[in-house]
Amino acid sequence: MKSIIPTRILTRTAVLLALTIAVQYLGFPPPLMGPLVNFMLAVSAVLVGPAAGVFIGSVTPWIALLIGILPVPLAPAVPFIMVGNAVYCLLIGILAKNLVFRSIGVVLGSLAKYAVISGAAAYVLTLPSALAQALLLPQLVNALLGGLVALSTAYSVTWALSQRVSS
């Protein structure tokens, strides 16, 4: 029986999910952890596809909650973080045709992610002010930083793979 999802896609998604969870377990401070996780989401969306990024972006908030990266009072924000991550990965993955579109995807994806998460923090969730702040501007900065670094990494990887194939 033929698999609906190619084994190559499943394997790459599983490896990137494992790497993303490993990054989360390293316990870096939030100014480093946020861009690293967004980096992994963007790399997944570009190298494997938007669905892989959406899947990984749906799992990582739960892992962050389980291992204490995300404080327990922010648990109600997890579904909004999942949606923000999904929009981020979809825009990056869909616009991953070339470097210019990838850049547009990172900017639009970061802005959309920020709009979803900060909108939820401001209008839907009832959170203490200090916790709500973590869901505002840091989300935009983390998404932009992670995405821009991912662009250069993904470009390097795809270039190296194309050189290997053409040799």
Side-chain angles (χ1 to χ4, degrees), residues 25-63:
Y25 269 101
L26 291 174
F28 293 119
L32 185 57
M33 182 65 70
L36 280 172
V37 170
N38 281 282
F39 166 81
M40 294 302 297
L41 296 178
V43 164
S44 301
V46 171
L47 295 181
V48 183
V54 168
F55 175 72
I56 294 169
S58 297
V59 173
T60 54
W62 292 107
I63 299 297

Side-chain angles (χ1 to χ4, degrees), residues 1-7 10:
M1 188 164 120
K2 188 173 179 174
S3 173
I4 294 173
I5 302 172
T7 305
L10 285 174

Side-chain angles (χ1 to χ4, degrees), residues 71-99:
V72 175
L74 283 179
V78 167
F80 298 101
I81 296 170
M82 291 170 63
V83 171
N85 286 346
V87 170
Y88 180 69
C89 293
L90 284 171
L91 286 169
I92 292 171
I94 290 169
L95 295 172
K97 306 298 181 225
N98 63 44
L99 189 57

Side-chain angles (χ1 to χ4, degrees), residues 12 14 24 37 52 54 58 60 66 95 112 124 134 138 152 159 164:
R12 289 179 181 176
Q24 287 182 296
V37 170
V54 168
S58 297
T60 54
L66 289 172
L95 295 172
V124 179
S152 61
W159 180 82
R164 192 176 109 204

Side-chain angles (χ1 to χ4, degrees), residues 86-141:
V87 170
Y88 180 69
C89 293
L90 284 171
L91 286 169
I92 292 171
I94 290 169
L95 295 172
K97 306 298 181 225
N98 63 44
L99 189 57
V100 172
F101 286 133
R102 285 181 193 166
S103 302
I104 293 169
V106 166
V107 172
L108 291 178
S110 298
L111 290 169
K113 178 179 181 170
Y114 170 71
V116 168
I117 297 173
S118 66
Y123 302 110
V124 179
L125 302 169
T126 305
L127 300 169
S129 179
L131 287 177
Q133 290 303 314
L135 299 177
L136 299 176
L137 193 58
Q139 292 297 319
L140 177 61
V141 172

